[in-house]
Amino acid sequence: MAVASLVEGIQIAVSWPVIGWMAAGLLAGIVLGALPGIGSPVGMAIVLPLTVPLDPTPALILLISIYSGAMFGGSIAAILLNAPGTESAAATTLDGYPMAKKGLAKNALAIATTASALNGFVAAILLIAISPVLIEIVLLFGSVEYFLLAILGISLITIVADGSIVKGVVAGAFGFMVSTMGVAIMAPTPRYAFGMLPLYDGLNFVAALIGMFAFAEMMKLAVQTQIAEDAVGITGSITDGIKTVFKYPKTTVKAGIIGMLIGAVPGSGATTSTFVAYAEEARSSAADGIFGEGDPRGIIAPEGANNPTVSGSLVPTLSFGIPGSGSTAVFLGGILMHGLQPGPGLFGDQLHITYALFVSVFLGNILILAVGYTVIPYASAITKLDTDVIIPMVIVLSFIGAFSLRRNWFDAFGVLALGILGYYMVKYNYSVIAFVLGIVLGPIAEENFFRALQLSGGGYGIFVSPSRPLSLSISLLIIAVLAGPFVGPYIKRAVSRRQ
Amino acid sequence: MVNYSKRLEGVTAEHVLLVTLLGLAVVFYVDPILKDYPENATIFPQLMAQVVGIGSFLLLIQNYLPGPIRKIVAQEVSMTESFEDDRTEGVDAVEDAEEENDLDDKYISDDDDEEETDDVAVKDLPLHQKWGVDLNNTVIMIIFSSIYFALGWAVGFLYVTPLFVFAYTTWFRVDVLKGAFLATLATVIVYGFIVFLLMPFDQGAIVFTGGL
């Protein structure tokens, strides 16, 4: 079954117009990623409602290509402006910008292109190779486990987000709570509609994604900086940059492994993986490194980790519906909006769609390589766009896109309201991703929660029952994740005292 | 006597956010009881409302909580401590660059026009700042967006969109030709939604209710 689905997936991925959507997504992603303050979540959120007329496969390929392209595009602004286009490119600024300032901007961009595409290419192959194992694992999960996985995902996000756990939990639960507006799944009762007809459908999660990512991001951008001020000239050699990546094979491979593994951990994304890869390289090469002053390994490590993270993050997103970042949360929104279900569906009857996605990621990295080298001499032009030009266009697309989802004015209003809420949540360190995950996964989590209670006759013991070792393990993991940061230091101290 | 004005000075937007969350949690908990929802439809939202309510309440009163509970509520945890130094360095570098490129650097006043150079593409002050109104650009953006949404609903997005885009770009002193081009582009996009996706953006809820 897997081989037949893989062949079908390849046929879909290379067919027209699917491959055209992939190319369009990559190019859009590179441009959006290169614009500081925009990045992949904003671009994907705006494009999401526009994919409604498309079939699920090209729509998802378009979205994942934007994500993949933005991973590379983010490095352009990071290297030329010292302002990362995406959060995940922040680590690239550490050595990318100093290198560009030395007159080696082309080298730095070529290193970023090569490391990002090369490792992304290998990671996509690995993803295809491990998928038969994934299928087996996914099929072990039932309603109880899927509900617990949703809780685990939010728990992981709250601690990966580096803030107060209570704030993260509140954000996630608030997302779940808001998702219950509208007609209930298990009983035909309109909830929290307050007599208003538009509220009978509840709040569309795509509108929430647009509000939280696109609109809130524009609010931040409104006070942000003149982008062109710190730009450096495009000088140096592309060929030397490419050669540099092959001069450090260990760094490249290590970064790829870190990127893929961290990407596969539910709740963590490219921001974490790129910093971990950079820190690991700085640690292991401290003796002969000039990190922070333009060491090429300081670019290879984060850039070599970012695109494998895309492949890695597809594992929890497609298998269990747990995204690791804003971009994968929007991607998950796309999966659900097109009527697909993460988990058994995408690894069962719809396996060919999953394979088509994997193959597109693989092909996309080849295109990144080709496009990347071509755009390097003109890269600085992308970053010179004025923020005041971008903002009104994004606002227009946000409102009309949200309304077009269901012809519901409440969705367009939701963009405005949740955009303002999202802005303040970010400002005060409440995890927006946990909130969004709550809204996106709310209906699935509630349905699985309800089914689990039906199985147990209404008792909560089913979530920790020893007769269900998988659900018990996930429950213990949730407790460990939430209690770990508080209990961990005490355990560490006790262990060190004994030693 | 309690000095209320002094107390109000300590109220931040986060307090407003938490009170809003707490209020919504109460509504989500109480509404199923008042309107007698079926039990199936009640358990999950009420459970989540309890989590939101208790969490927001604890965050709201965190300064008055006893030591250990306060620590759990307020403590910022990090899974990424091992590379925190590198991260901080990186983020600091980015933030420094952002601070350097502060609002004042983004725009110049009309009087300083002669100092503009080709290398540094600085712009004129937005209209509110030129008129001496001390308002954050984000607030202006929200006002513009709210008016755009309200008028779009009342009159129809097709007619309001070019006005919004042109007004916004003019307010923030984008070149007039560029603004006009963007307004046209935005209108074409909205028109595309009407033609290809059959969206009623040419109809308003109050004016032009019949559309084109």
Side-chain angles (χ1 to χ4, degrees):
Chain A
M1 179 190 163
V3 177
S5 299
L6 176 60
V7 173
E8 198 182 341
I10 294 170
Q11 284 171 344
I12 293 170
V14 298
S15 67
W16 185 261
V18 175
I19 201 161
W21 288 117
M22 183 201 76
L26 275 170
L27 293 173
I30 292 172
V31 174
L32 291 168
L35 297 170
I38 302 288
S40 55
V42 178
M44 290 167 77
I46 295 168
V47 170
L48 194 52
L50 308 181
T51 66
V52 172
L54 296 179
D55 286 336
T57 315
L60 295 179
I61 285 174
L62 175 69
L63 291 172
I64 200 72
S65 301
I66 293 175
Y67 183 23
S68 202
M71 281 290 144
F72 161 67
S75 66
I76 296 175
I79 289 167
L80 297 180
L81 308 173
N82 200 27
T86 54
E87 271 187 31
S88 59
T92 308
T93 57
L94 300 177
D95 281 282
Y97 186 63
M99 195 173 193
K101 270 177 110 176
K102 286 178 183 170
L104 299 171
K106 278 187 183 175
N107 299 52
L109 287 167
I111 291 170
T113 310
T114 313
S116 181
L118 195 67
N119 276 355
F121 182 78
V122 176
I125 296 175
L126 281 174
L127 189 62
I128 294 169
I130 62 162
S131 55
V133 183
L134 275 179
I135 297 165
E136 298 297 323
I137 296 171
V138 166
L139 295 176
L140 293 174
F141 286 68
S143 290
V144 181
E145 289 78 16
Y146 273 107
F147 169 71
L148 289 171
L149 275 173
I151 305 293
L152 176 66
I154 287 182
S155 309
L156 278 167
I157 285 168
T158 60
I159 60 162
V160 173
D162 293 354
S164 153
I165 283 190
V166 177
K167 284 183 178 179
V169 171
V170 166
F174 183 54
F176 276 140
M177 194 177 91
V178 171
S179 78
T180 62
M181 287 169 76
V183 177
I185 306 165
M186 61 298 296
T189 311
R191 298 181 293 191
Y192 310 110
F194 309 107
M196 287 185 271
L197 202 59
L199 291 181
Y200 275 52
D201 290 336
L203 178 69
N204 187 289
F205 61 80
V206 180
L209 289 168
I210 296 172
M212 281 284 164
F213 291 118
F215 196 87
E217 213 45 57
M218 290 309 105
M219 285 173 68
K220 264 164 69 185
L221 204 61
V223 284
Q224 252 184 24
T225 61
Q226 177 61 34
I227 329 179
E229 196 158 358
D230 281 346
V232 293
I234 308 274
T235 50
S237 160
I238 295 175
T239 324
D240 287 350
I242 298 168
K243 283 179 189 164
T244 309
V245 176
F246 293 98
K247 216 173 120 186
Y248 298 105
K250 205 175 138 193
T251 307
T252 312
V253 171
K254 200 162 58 176
I257 294 169
I258 290 172
M260 188 145 183
L261 288 178
I262 292 182
V265 175
S268 60
T271 311
T272 309
S273 72
T274 49
F275 272 108
V276 170
Y278 182 88
E280 167 52 25
E281 193 52 36
R283 184 199 61 79
S284 61
S285 309
D288 62 335
I290 46 160
F291 290 93
E293 294 169 40
D295 194 308
R297 287 167 295 187
I299 304 172
I300 297 171
E303 287 301 313
N306 67 14
N307 244 332
T309 308
V310 176
S311 297
S313 69
L314 285 178
V315 175
T317 309
L318 298 176
S319 323
F320 308 115
I322 301 175
S325 60
S327 304
T328 38
V330 181
F331 182 65
L332 178 65
I335 292 173
L336 297 172
M337 191 182 85
H338 283 280
L340 303 174
Q341 289 287 328
L346 281 172
F347 285 87
D349 298 344
Q350 293 145 349
L351 187 60
H352 59 284
I353 296 178
T354 307
Y355 274 125
L357 282 174
F358 293 170
V359 174
S360 292
V361 173
F362 170 80
L363 293 174
N365 281 291
I366 300 174
L367 198 65
I368 285 178
L369 214 52
V371 173
Y373 295 141
T374 315
V375 299
I376 284 173
Y378 318 103
S380 61
I382 301 173
T383 58
K384 281 180 182 162
L385 263 177
D386 188 345
T387 53
D388 294 328
V389 165
I390 300 165
I391 292 168
M393 298 305 283
V394 172
I395 293 170
V396 170
L397 287 170
S398 298
F399 282 139
I400 63 169
F403 176 83
S404 304
L405 292 166
R406 301 182 301 186
R407 296 180 180 228
N408 188 338
W409 285 106
F410 181 63
D411 289 339
F413 175 73
V415 167
L416 184 66
L418 289 176
I420 296 169
L421 179 74
Y423 174 78
Y424 284 104
M425 282 178 76
V426 171
K427 192 173 176 184
Y428 293 108
N429 217 7
Y430 290 77
S431 172
V432 167
I433 299 176
F435 172 73
V436 160
L437 190 57
I439 284 197
V440 173
L441 287 184
I444 301 174
E446 185 177 7
E447 197 179 344
N448 285 314
F449 176 72
F450 177 66
R451 279 188 194 154
L453 290 185
Q454 270 187 327
L455 282 174
S456 68
Y460 291 93
I462 193 167
F463 299 112
V464 287
S465 166
S467 63
R468 300 183 72 99
L470 196 55
S471 54
L472 176 64
S473 310
I474 303 170
S475 295
L476 291 174
L477 199 58
I478 294 168
I479 295 167
V481 164
L482 291 176
F486 304 109
V487 182
Y490 292 103
I491 297 172
K492 251 188 197 173
R493 245 176 274 155
V495 170
S496 61
R497 261 184 225 152
R498 275 192 188 173
Q499 284 170 346
Chain B
M1 195 181 152
V2 183
N3 189 342
Y4 288 108
S5 62
K6 204 167 187 182
R7 283 198 172 181
L8 276 176
E9 277 174 19
V11 175
T12 64
E14 186 177 15
H15 292 122
V16 178
L17 176 72
L18 286 169
V19 170
T20 309
L21 291 180
L22 189 58
L24 285 171
V26 171
V27 170
F28 272 70
Y29 190 84
V30 173
D31 198 55
I33 300 168
L34 295 177
K35 292 183 183 156
D36 205 15
Y37 291 2
E39 200 191 342
N40 293 346
T42 308
I43 304 171
F44 189 75
Q46 281 195 331
L47 196 65
M48 292 304 133
Q50 285 174 50
V51 176
V52 175
I54 294 168
S56 338
F57 184 68
L58 287 174
L59 286 164
L60 206 54
I61 58 158
Q62 56 180 292
N63 291 338
Y64 307 100
L65 291 171
I69 301 175
R70 185 181 174 181
K71 200 178 169 190
I72 290 173
V73 173
Q75 189 182 328
E76 307 249 320
V77 295
S78 169
M79 209 188 170
T80 50
E81 267 172 2
S82 58
F83 61 94
E84 193 60 32
D85 292 342
D86 298 301
R87 181 189 157 85
T88 307
E89 196 181 316
V91 173
D92 284 351
V94 175
E95 283 173 357
D96 287 348
E98 285 177 357
E99 275 167 26
E100 280 168 24
N101 298 338
D102 207 355
L103 199 60
D104 295 338
D105 296 335
K106 182 176 177 180
Y107 304 102
I108 57 166
S109 68
D110 288 349
D111 305 334
D112 298 335
D113 275 350
E114 63 278 8
E115 288 171 18
E116 193 174 335
T117 65
D118 290 341
D119 298 336
V120 183
V122 280
K123 288 181 5 189
D124 295 337
L125 280 171
L127 291 181
H128 60 282
Q129 286 179 11
K130 191 185 164 194
W131 295 335
V133 180
D134 187 23
L135 267 181
N136 189 311
N137 285 359
T138 304
V139 176
I140 299 291
M141 187 214 131
I142 293 172
I143 294 170
F144 262 100
S145 305
S146 305
I147 295 171
Y148 172 54
F149 170 73
L151 287 178
W153 167 80
V155 180
F157 272 114
L158 181 67
Y159 319 110
V160 179
T161 297
L163 298 174
F164 162 70
V165 175
F166 192 73
Y168 188 94
T169 48
T170 306
W171 193 279
F172 285 95
R173 312 300 284 272
V174 175
D175 178 58
V176 177
L177 279 179
K178 236 188 231 179
F181 169 74
L182 287 172
T184 313
L185 180 66
T187 313
V188 170
I189 293 171
V190 176
Y191 189 69
F193 271 73
I194 297 170
V195 174
F196 297 110
L197 298 178
L198 306 176
M199 289 296 149
F201 290 134
D202 56 336
Q203 296 168 23
I206 297 171
V207 188
F208 302 128
T209 48
L212 282 174

